[in-house]
mmCIF file of all heavy atoms in Angstrom:
data_model
loop_
_atom_site.group_PDB
_atom_site.id
_atom_site.type_symbol
_atom_site.label_atom_id
_atom_site.label_comp_id
_atom_site.label_asym_id
_atom_site.label_seq_id
_atom_site.Cartn_x
_atom_site.Cartn_y
_atom_site.Cartn_z
ATOM 1 N N TYR A 11 37.119 -24.524 -8.713
ATOM 2 C CA TYR A 11 38.463 -24.935 -8.226
ATOM 3 C C TYR A 11 38.301 -25.491 -6.795
ATOM 4 O O TYR A 11 37.487 -25.056 -5.992
ATOM 5 C CB TYR A 11 39.459 -23.853 -8.232
ATOM 6 C CG TYR A 11 39.766 -23.231 -9.615
ATOM 7 C CD1 TYR A 11 38.941 -22.111 -10.053
ATOM 8 C CD2 TYR A 11 40.638 -23.733 -10.340
ATOM 9 C CE1 TYR A 11 39.124 -21.708 -11.271
ATOM 10 C CE2 TYR A 11 40.898 -23.180 -11.612
ATOM 11 C CZ TYR A 11 40.128 -22.185 -12.151
ATOM 12 O OH TYR A 11 40.402 -21.626 -13.374
ATOM 13 N N LYS A 12 39.133 -26.417 -6.509
ATOM 14 C CA LYS A 12 39.362 -26.840 -5.144
ATOM 15 C C LYS A 12 39.879 -25.592 -4.276
ATOM 16 O O LYS A 12 40.619 -24.881 -4.904
ATOM 17 C CB LYS A 12 40.421 -28.008 -5.041
ATOM 18 C CG LYS A 12 40.904 -28.284 -3.720
ATOM 19 C CD LYS A 12 41.954 -29.449 -3.800
ATOM 20 C CE LYS A 12 42.499 -29.847 -2.431
ATOM 21 N NZ LYS A 12 41.398 -30.400 -1.556
ATOM 22 N N ASP A 13 39.409 -25.478 -3.071
ATOM 23 C CA ASP A 13 39.669 -24.231 -2.411
ATOM 24 C C ASP A 13 41.231 -23.962 -2.297
ATOM 25 O O ASP A 13 41.660 -22.903 -2.389
ATOM 26 C CB ASP A 13 39.113 -24.232 -1.009
ATOM 27 C CG ASP A 13 37.690 -24.014 -0.956
ATOM 28 O OD1 ASP A 13 37.093 -23.632 -1.983
ATOM 29 O OD2 ASP A 13 37.000 -24.356 0.045
ATOM 30 N N SER A 14 42.034 -24.921 -2.116
ATOM 31 C CA SER A 14 43.435 -24.700 -1.732
ATOM 32 C C SER A 14 44.252 -24.411 -3.094
ATOM 33 O O SER A 14 45.363 -23.894 -2.824
ATOM 34 C CB SER A 14 44.073 -26.062 -1.292
ATOM 35 O OG SER A 14 43.986 -27.128 -2.182
ATOM 36 N N VAL A 15 43.590 -24.428 -4.195
ATOM 37 C CA VAL A 15 44.351 -23.972 -5.481
ATOM 38 C C VAL A 15 43.822 -22.601 -5.993
ATOM 39 O O VAL A 15 44.331 -22.134 -7.014
ATOM 40 C CB VAL A 15 44.370 -25.047 -6.503
ATOM 41 C CG1 VAL A 15 44.881 -26.405 -5.945
ATOM 42 C CG2 VAL A 15 43.044 -25.152 -7.206
ATOM 43 N N LYS A 16 42.642 -22.197 -5.449
ATOM 44 C CA LYS A 16 42.075 -20.938 -5.911
ATOM 45 C C LYS A 16 43.028 -19.762 -5.909
ATOM 46 O O LYS A 16 43.789 -19.596 -4.919
ATOM 47 C CB LYS A 16 40.921 -20.503 -5.117
ATOM 48 C CG LYS A 16 39.738 -21.405 -5.430
ATOM 49 C CD LYS A 16 38.462 -20.973 -4.454
ATOM 50 C CE LYS A 16 37.311 -21.837 -4.788
ATOM 51 N NZ LYS A 16 36.130 -21.569 -3.937
ATOM 52 N N GLY A 17 43.186 -18.957 -7.002
ATOM 53 C CA GLY A 17 44.030 -17.983 -7.048
ATOM 54 C C GLY A 17 45.478 -18.337 -7.580
ATOM 55 O O GLY A 17 46.342 -17.505 -7.886
ATOM 56 N N ARG A 18 45.673 -19.592 -7.632
ATOM 57 C CA ARG A 18 47.034 -20.138 -7.944
ATOM 58 C C ARG A 18 46.874 -20.970 -9.278
ATOM 59 O O ARG A 18 47.811 -20.841 -10.113
ATOM 60 C CB ARG A 18 47.566 -21.007 -6.995
ATOM 61 C CG ARG A 18 47.863 -20.308 -5.594
ATOM 62 C CD ARG A 18 48.728 -21.135 -4.621
ATOM 63 N NE ARG A 18 48.063 -22.456 -4.325
ATOM 64 C CZ ARG A 18 48.679 -23.610 -4.613
ATOM 65 N NH1 ARG A 18 49.776 -23.831 -5.326
ATOM 66 N NH2 ARG A 18 47.917 -24.698 -4.229
ATOM 67 N N PHE A 19 45.858 -21.716 -9.458
ATOM 68 C CA PHE A 19 45.678 -22.605 -10.770
ATOM 69 C C PHE A 19 44.645 -21.913 -11.541
ATOM 70 O O PHE A 19 43.597 -21.426 -11.031
ATOM 71 C CB PHE A 19 45.328 -23.881 -10.288
ATOM 72 C CG PHE A 19 46.411 -24.730 -9.579
ATOM 73 C CD1 PHE A 19 47.506 -24.178 -9.212
ATOM 74 C CD2 PHE A 19 46.095 -26.171 -9.350
ATOM 75 C CE1 PHE A 19 48.608 -24.976 -8.544
ATOM 76 C CE2 PHE A 19 47.085 -26.808 -8.727
ATOM 77 C CZ PHE A 19 48.336 -26.248 -8.339
ATOM 78 N N THR A 20 44.730 -22.049 -12.895
ATOM 79 C CA THR A 20 43.706 -21.724 -13.822
ATOM 80 C C THR A 20 43.518 -22.765 -14.816
ATOM 81 O O THR A 20 44.444 -23.212 -15.477
ATOM 82 C CB THR A 20 44.103 -20.485 -14.545
ATOM 83 O OG1 THR A 20 44.386 -19.350 -13.541
ATOM 84 C CG2 THR A 20 43.075 -19.960 -15.527
ATOM 85 N N ILE A 21 42.243 -23.214 -15.015
ATOM 86 C CA ILE A 21 41.910 -24.195 -15.942
ATOM 87 C C ILE A 21 41.366 -23.402 -17.246
ATOM 88 O O ILE A 21 40.675 -22.462 -17.007
ATOM 89 C CB ILE A 21 40.927 -25.274 -15.448
ATOM 90 C CG1 ILE A 21 40.650 -26.368 -16.524
ATOM 91 C CG2 ILE A 21 39.580 -24.569 -14.934
ATOM 92 C CD1 ILE A 21 39.893 -27.628 -15.871
ATOM 93 N N SER A 22 41.748 -23.940 -18.405
ATOM 94 C CA SER A 22 41.111 -23.330 -19.620
ATOM 95 C C SER A 22 41.031 -24.418 -20.647
ATOM 96 O O SER A 22 41.530 -25.487 -20.482
ATOM 97 C CB SER A 22 42.056 -22.183 -20.052
ATOM 98 O OG SER A 22 43.376 -22.670 -20.445
ATOM 99 N N ARG A 23 40.368 -24.129 -21.694
ATOM 100 C CA ARG A 23 40.199 -25.079 -22.739
ATOM 101 C C ARG A 23 40.238 -24.340 -24.143
ATOM 102 O O ARG A 23 39.765 -23.176 -24.241
ATOM 103 C CB ARG A 23 38.871 -25.883 -22.633
ATOM 104 C CG ARG A 23 37.640 -25.103 -22.778
ATOM 105 C CD ARG A 23 36.319 -25.903 -22.309
ATOM 106 N NE ARG A 23 36.166 -27.039 -23.201
ATOM 107 C CZ ARG A 23 35.479 -28.098 -22.870
ATOM 108 N NH1 ARG A 23 34.898 -28.223 -21.668
ATOM 109 N NH2 ARG A 23 35.245 -29.126 -23.781
ATOM 110 N N ASP A 24 40.640 -25.028 -25.121
ATOM 111 C CA ASP A 24 40.644 -24.634 -26.512
ATOM 112 C C ASP A 24 39.982 -25.595 -27.257
ATOM 113 O O ASP A 24 40.566 -26.634 -27.704
ATOM 114 C CB ASP A 24 42.130 -24.353 -26.960
ATOM 115 C CG ASP A 24 42.189 -23.700 -28.317
ATOM 116 O OD1 ASP A 24 41.266 -23.769 -29.122
ATOM 117 O OD2 ASP A 24 43.231 -23.107 -28.675
ATOM 118 N N ASN A 25 38.728 -25.438 -27.539
ATOM 119 C CA ASN A 25 37.940 -26.417 -28.396
ATOM 120 C C ASN A 25 38.458 -26.660 -29.745
ATOM 121 O O ASN A 25 38.331 -27.769 -30.204
ATOM 122 C CB ASN A 25 36.518 -25.962 -28.499
ATOM 123 C CG ASN A 25 35.791 -26.138 -26.927
ATOM 124 O OD1 ASN A 25 36.184 -26.848 -26.164
ATOM 125 N ND2 ASN A 25 34.731 -25.451 -26.918
ATOM 126 N N ALA A 26 39.095 -25.623 -30.324
ATOM 127 C CA ALA A 26 39.561 -25.860 -31.765
ATOM 128 C C ALA A 26 40.724 -26.772 -31.665
ATOM 129 O O ALA A 26 40.955 -27.442 -32.758
ATOM 130 C CB ALA A 26 40.065 -24.468 -32.302
ATOM 131 N N LYS A 27 41.501 -26.861 -30.626
ATOM 132 C CA LYS A 27 42.575 -27.773 -30.427
ATOM 133 C C LYS A 27 42.248 -29.062 -29.580
ATOM 134 O O LYS A 27 43.280 -29.871 -29.348
ATOM 135 C CB LYS A 27 43.798 -27.047 -29.830
ATOM 136 C CG LYS A 27 44.361 -25.944 -30.637
ATOM 137 C CD LYS A 27 45.482 -25.217 -29.843
ATOM 138 C CE LYS A 27 46.070 -24.047 -30.789
ATOM 139 N NZ LYS A 27 47.095 -23.336 -30.111
ATOM 140 N N ASN A 28 41.115 -29.205 -29.194
ATOM 141 C CA ASN A 28 40.750 -30.398 -28.306
ATOM 142 C C ASN A 28 41.665 -30.500 -27.158
ATOM 143 O O ASN A 28 42.024 -31.548 -26.790
ATOM 144 C CB ASN A 28 40.609 -31.582 -29.140
ATOM 145 C CG ASN A 28 39.479 -31.775 -30.020
ATOM 146 O OD1 ASN A 28 38.611 -30.832 -30.183
ATOM 147 N ND2 ASN A 28 39.487 -32.814 -30.852
ATOM 148 N N THR A 29 41.933 -29.431 -26.563
ATOM 149 C CA THR A 29 42.975 -29.299 -25.446
ATOM 150 C C THR A 29 42.292 -28.584 -24.203
ATOM 151 O O THR A 29 41.844 -27.496 -24.406
ATOM 152 C CB THR A 29 44.241 -28.675 -25.995
ATOM 153 O OG1 THR A 29 44.681 -29.442 -27.051
ATOM 154 C CG2 THR A 29 45.280 -28.682 -24.869
ATOM 155 N N VAL A 30 42.660 -29.198 -23.074
ATOM 156 C CA VAL A 30 42.399 -28.506 -21.820
ATOM 157 C C VAL A 30 43.715 -28.272 -21.125
ATOM 158 O O VAL A 30 44.719 -29.088 -21.237
ATOM 159 C CB VAL A 30 41.404 -29.323 -20.971
ATOM 160 C CG1 VAL A 30 41.961 -30.564 -20.494
ATOM 161 C CG2 VAL A 30 40.990 -28.507 -19.692
ATOM 162 N N TYR A 31 43.774 -27.160 -20.382
ATOM 163 C CA TYR A 31 45.125 -26.799 -19.766
ATOM 164 C C TYR A 31 44.828 -26.600 -18.304
ATOM 165 O O TYR A 31 43.713 -26.259 -17.839
ATOM 166 C CB TYR A 31 45.651 -25.466 -20.319
ATOM 167 C CG TYR A 31 45.901 -25.480 -21.847
ATOM 168 C CD1 TYR A 31 44.823 -25.023 -22.730
ATOM 169 C CD2 TYR A 31 47.026 -26.020 -22.383
ATOM 170 C CE1 TYR A 31 45.009 -25.032 -24.100
ATOM 171 C CE2 TYR A 31 47.304 -25.941 -23.765
ATOM 172 C CZ TYR A 31 46.254 -25.499 -24.515
ATOM 173 O OH TYR A 31 46.466 -25.499 -25.940
ATOM 174 N N LEU A 32 45.945 -26.784 -17.552
ATOM 175 C CA LEU A 32 45.999 -26.281 -16.167
ATOM 176 C C LEU A 32 47.231 -25.482 -15.948
ATOM 177 O O LEU A 32 48.301 -26.120 -15.984
ATOM 178 C CB LEU A 32 45.862 -27.464 -15.172
ATOM 179 C CG LEU A 32 45.806 -27.084 -13.743
ATOM 180 C CD1 LEU A 32 44.477 -26.558 -13.519
ATOM 181 C CD2 LEU A 32 46.043 -28.437 -12.808
ATOM 182 N N GLN A 33 47.039 -24.246 -15.752
ATOM 183 C CA GLN A 33 48.196 -23.365 -15.491
ATOM 184 C C GLN A 33 48.384 -23.338 -14.077
ATOM 185 O O GLN A 33 47.471 -22.855 -13.288
ATOM 186 C CB GLN A 33 47.889 -21.946 -16.029
ATOM 187 C CG GLN A 33 49.023 -20.940 -15.635
ATOM 188 C CD GLN A 33 50.280 -21.195 -16.388
ATOM 189 O OE1 GLN A 33 50.231 -21.311 -17.602
ATOM 190 N NE2 GLN A 33 51.390 -21.240 -15.511
ATOM 191 N N MET A 34 49.441 -23.750 -13.492
ATOM 192 C CA MET A 34 49.838 -23.874 -12.074
ATOM 193 C C MET A 34 50.844 -22.739 -11.780
ATOM 194 O O MET A 34 51.907 -22.836 -12.360
ATOM 195 C CB MET A 34 50.271 -25.184 -11.676
ATOM 196 C CG MET A 34 49.396 -26.330 -12.238
ATOM 197 S SD MET A 34 50.173 -28.026 -12.124
ATOM 198 C CE MET A 34 50.546 -28.098 -10.261
ATOM 199 N N SER A 35 50.420 -21.910 -10.795
ATOM 200 C CA SER A 35 51.395 -20.822 -10.501
ATOM 201 C C SER A 35 51.556 -20.849 -8.897
ATOM 202 O O SER A 35 50.730 -21.341 -8.139
ATOM 203 C CB SER A 35 50.825 -19.481 -10.850
ATOM 204 O OG SER A 35 50.690 -19.365 -12.316
ATOM 205 N N ASN A 36 52.781 -20.318 -8.512
ATOM 206 C CA ASN A 36 52.995 -20.394 -7.107
ATOM 207 C C ASN A 36 52.783 -21.731 -6.430
ATOM 208 O O ASN A 36 52.118 -21.885 -5.449
ATOM 209 C CB ASN A 36 52.057 -19.239 -6.231
ATOM 210 C CG ASN A 36 52.619 -19.151 -4.810
ATOM 211 O OD1 ASN A 36 53.725 -19.300 -4.516
ATOM 212 N ND2 ASN A 36 51.613 -18.553 -4.022
ATOM 213 N N VAL A 37 53.407 -22.757 -7.076
ATOM 214 C CA VAL A 37 53.127 -24.087 -6.534
ATOM 215 C C VAL A 37 53.700 -24.293 -5.204
ATOM 216 O O VAL A 37 54.695 -23.691 -4.822
ATOM 217 C CB VAL A 37 53.638 -25.084 -7.680
ATOM 218 C CG1 VAL A 37 52.841 -24.973 -8.903
ATOM 219 C CG2 VAL A 37 55.151 -24.963 -7.743
ATOM 220 N N LYS A 38 53.173 -25.266 -4.460
ATOM 221 C CA LYS A 38 53.598 -25.634 -3.172
ATOM 222 C C LYS A 38 54.018 -27.059 -3.132
ATOM 223 O O LYS A 38 53.501 -27.941 -4.017
ATOM 224 C CB LYS A 38 52.482 -25.330 -2.293
ATOM 225 C CG LYS A 38 51.970 -23.808 -2.133
ATOM 226 C CD LYS A 38 50.925 -23.626 -1.250
ATOM 227 C CE LYS A 38 50.415 -22.269 -1.211
ATOM 228 N NZ LYS A 38 49.271 -22.010 -0.316
ATOM 229 N N PRO A 39 54.824 -27.465 -2.233
ATOM 230 C CA PRO A 39 55.122 -28.897 -2.152
ATOM 231 C C PRO A 39 53.943 -29.892 -2.007
ATOM 232 O O PRO A 39 53.914 -30.920 -2.642
ATOM 233 C CB PRO A 39 55.891 -29.014 -0.873
ATOM 234 C CG PRO A 39 56.667 -27.701 -0.758
ATOM 235 C CD PRO A 39 55.606 -26.682 -1.224
ATOM 236 N N GLU A 40 52.906 -29.401 -1.437
ATOM 237 C CA GLU A 40 51.646 -30.306 -1.252
ATOM 238 C C GLU A 40 50.827 -30.440 -2.621
ATOM 239 O O GLU A 40 49.968 -31.042 -2.679
ATOM 240 C CB GLU A 40 50.575 -29.662 -0.228
ATOM 241 C CG GLU A 40 50.368 -28.115 -0.385
ATOM 242 C CD GLU A 40 51.226 -27.338 0.492
ATOM 243 O OE1 GLU A 40 52.416 -27.642 0.598
ATOM 244 O OE2 GLU A 40 50.683 -26.412 1.072
ATOM 245 N N ASP A 41 51.262 -29.625 -3.714
ATOM 246 C CA ASP A 41 50.824 -29.790 -4.972
ATOM 247 C C ASP A 41 51.286 -31.050 -5.696
ATOM 248 O O ASP A 41 50.931 -31.444 -6.706
ATOM 249 C CB ASP A 41 50.993 -28.594 -5.828
ATOM 250 C CG ASP A 41 50.237 -27.360 -5.244
ATOM 251 O OD1 ASP A 41 49.068 -27.478 -4.855
ATOM 252 O OD2 ASP A 41 50.814 -26.216 -5.427
ATOM 253 N N THR A 42 52.341 -31.633 -5.164
ATOM 254 C CA THR A 42 53.036 -32.815 -5.711
ATOM 255 C C THR A 42 52.017 -33.924 -5.825
ATOM 256 O O THR A 42 51.505 -34.366 -4.920
ATOM 257 C CB THR A 42 54.222 -33.321 -4.815
ATOM 258 O OG1 THR A 42 55.227 -32.271 -4.807
ATOM 259 C CG2 THR A 42 54.749 -34.563 -5.427
ATOM 260 N N ALA A 43 51.852 -34.361 -7.094
ATOM 261 C CA ALA A 43 50.926 -35.495 -7.311
ATOM 262 C C ALA A 43 50.879 -35.872 -8.763
ATOM 263 O O ALA A 43 51.548 -35.222 -9.549
ATOM 264 C CB ALA A 43 49.468 -34.872 -6.908
ATOM 265 N N VAL A 44 50.255 -36.920 -9.038
ATOM 266 C CA VAL A 44 50.016 -37.381 -10.559
ATOM 267 C C VAL A 44 48.719 -36.580 -10.842
ATOM 268 O O VAL A 44 47.702 -36.708 -10.169
ATOM 269 C CB VAL A 44 49.739 -38.710 -10.650
ATOM 270 C CG1 VAL A 44 49.393 -39.080 -12.207
ATOM 271 C CG2 VAL A 44 51.091 -39.485 -10.410
ATOM 272 N N TYR A 45 48.730 -35.797 -11.926
ATOM 273 C CA TYR A 45 47.532 -34.997 -12.328
ATOM 274 C C TYR A 45 46.925 -35.700 -13.518
ATOM 275 O O TYR A 45 47.642 -36.016 -14.489
ATOM 276 C CB TYR A 45 47.989 -33.590 -12.737
ATOM 277 C CG TYR A 45 48.336 -32.739 -11.628
ATOM 278 C CD1 TYR A 45 49.430 -32.969 -10.780
ATOM 279 C CD2 TYR A 45 47.275 -31.716 -11.139
ATOM 280 C CE1 TYR A 45 49.659 -32.105 -9.645
ATOM 281 C CE2 TYR A 45 47.542 -30.971 -10.075
ATOM 282 C CZ TYR A 45 48.762 -31.145 -9.342
ATOM 283 O OH TYR A 45 48.903 -30.381 -8.248
ATOM 284 N N TYR A 46 45.593 -35.924 -13.499
ATOM 285 C CA TYR A 46 44.868 -36.751 -14.361
ATOM 286 C C TYR A 46 43.846 -35.807 -15.166
ATOM 287 O O TYR A 46 43.129 -34.915 -14.479
ATOM 288 C CB TYR A 46 44.115 -37.880 -13.711
ATOM 289 C CG TYR A 46 44.992 -38.859 -13.227
ATOM 290 C CD1 TYR A 46 45.315 -38.804 -11.759
ATOM 291 C CD2 TYR A 46 45.404 -39.923 -13.965
ATOM 292 C CE1 TYR A 46 46.068 -39.865 -11.225
ATOM 293 C CE2 TYR A 46 46.235 -40.940 -13.417
ATOM 294 C CZ TYR A 46 46.500 -40.898 -12.002
ATOM 295 O OH TYR A 46 47.347 -41.844 -11.459
#
């Protein structure tokens, strides 16, 4: 993880569903962005 999101964001994947997730918690205004 990028240092500024450690402890707040969690990336995970489900290969059976061909899906990757980003769980974002305790978000901050500086997290505002287009996520790719």
Side-chain angles (χ1 to χ4, degrees):
Y11 299 90
K12 176 180 173 64
D13 285 345
S14 63
V15 309
K16 289 180 179 177
R18 301 190 298 117
F19 292 6
T20 301
I21 187 171
S22 61
R23 66 191 295 160
D24 186 338
N25 289 340
K27 296 181 178 179
N28 286 358
T29 302
V30 62
Y31 305 94
L32 185 68
Q33 177 65 51
M34 306 169 62
S35 299
N36 191 25
V37 296
K38 303 176 180 180
E40 53 263 42
D41 295 323
T42 295
V44 177
Y45 284 72
Y46 297 93

